[in-house]
Amino acid sequence: MTKYGYARVSTRDQSLDLQNDALLAAGVAAENIYSDRITGSSKSRPGLDALLAEIQPGDQLTIW
């Protein structure tokens, strides 16, 4: 089982730091954290798409 994490902020002015720190504290390795800096109304989320292409059955996903 591999642990993965996903974080998203809506604007470039917002920081992912708090979310990334929480995901690391939850045991997610830094290389397994995927993120997007994109508005919630956007249909394109490249970080989420990459995560969904990588994750396998039995893996754990944490979203902060």
Side-chain angles (χ1 to χ4, degrees):
M1 175 195 74
T2 302
K3 292 183 178 185
Y4 290 93
Y6 179 71
R8 185 187 66 82
V9 292
S10 297
T11 68
R12 296 200 183 277
D13 296 338
Q14 294 174 324
S15 174
L16 289 164
D17 292 347
L18 181 63
Q19 295 180 57
N20 286 335
D21 289 346
L23 292 169
L24 291 168
V28 179
E31 63 270 13
N32 292 334
I33 296 176
Y34 293 78
S35 61
D36 286 309
R37 290 182 183 270
I38 196 159
T39 180
S41 64
S42 175
K43 294 182 190 223
S44 173
R45 294 191 178 146
L48 181 59
D49 292 341
L51 167 63
L52 294 175
E54 183 71 24
I55 199 166
Q56 298 294 312
D59 290 342
Q60 179 181 332
L61 174 60
T62 303
I63 302 172
W64 189 90

